[in-house]
Amino acid sequence: MTDRVPILKIGDVLLVSIQVDLEDQMVMDLQEDLSQRIVDTGAHGVVIDISALEIVDSFVGRMLATIAAISRVLGAETVVVGMRPAVAMTLVELGLSLGGVRTALNLEQGLGALRRTGDQGPVDR
């Protein structure tokens, strides 16, 4: 059995704060858990806080992009916040552009970005 990453609900936003180094199975479980929570709660936004991560490998980088794409299909925008410079440099060196993933420096800016998206009107489901 692997540890699960907690998913908190704040209004219509889901907050995922990753506080441990991610193993591949944890990332797969997070993808599944987050998808189900979006459907169950009708969340319009997801914030993934990676400020505690010192290293991101290519698998985790690809999964962040995949999670954002799945969330978008389910009607929720994703913002990744708290990326350390070393992590950003690693992702670029690995050739991962995180296409379609919005980023912000911190949680406050990430929530602000989602609010601005929400101001454009609700998404029909």
Side-chain angles (χ1 to χ4, degrees):
M1 184 173 145
T2 61
D3 292 328
R4 300 287 237 216
V5 177
I7 301 170
L8 306 175
K9 183 177 183 301
I10 303 171
D12 58 355
V13 173
L14 298 177
L15 173 62
V16 178
S17 182
I18 300 171
Q19 298 296 313
V20 296
D21 288 332
L22 293 172
E23 298 173 10
D24 292 354
Q25 186 59 49
M26 288 177 71
V27 176
M28 300 297 291
D29 292 341
L30 174 60
Q31 178 180 308
E32 184 178 321
D33 294 347
L34 185 58
S35 299
Q36 190 60 53
R37 286 292 303 267
I38 291 169
V39 171
D40 291 345
T41 65
H44 95 275
V46 175
V47 175
I48 301 176
D49 178 9
I50 63 169
S51 59
L53 298 183
E54 295 182 18
I55 298 172
V56 174
D57 63 17
S58 61
F59 177 76
V60 172
R62 281 193 311 272
M63 290 308 293
L64 287 173
T66 301
I67 287 171
I70 292 170
S71 299
R72 192 170 31 261
V73 168
L74 295 173
E77 290 295 320
T78 300
V79 179
V80 175
V81 303
M83 187 178 301
R84 294 176 182 221
V87 170
M89 286 186 275
T90 300
L91 291 174
V92 170
E93 288 172 1
L94 291 172
L96 297 173
S97 65
L98 296 183
V101 178
R102 297 170 67 187
T103 58
L105 291 178
N106 56 47
L107 178 59
E108 184 177 359
Q109 289 181 2
L111 290 172
L114 288 175
R115 253 186 254 110
R116 286 189 296 277
T117 300
D119 291 343
Q120 296 171 359
V123 176
D124 292 331
R125 292 186 177 227

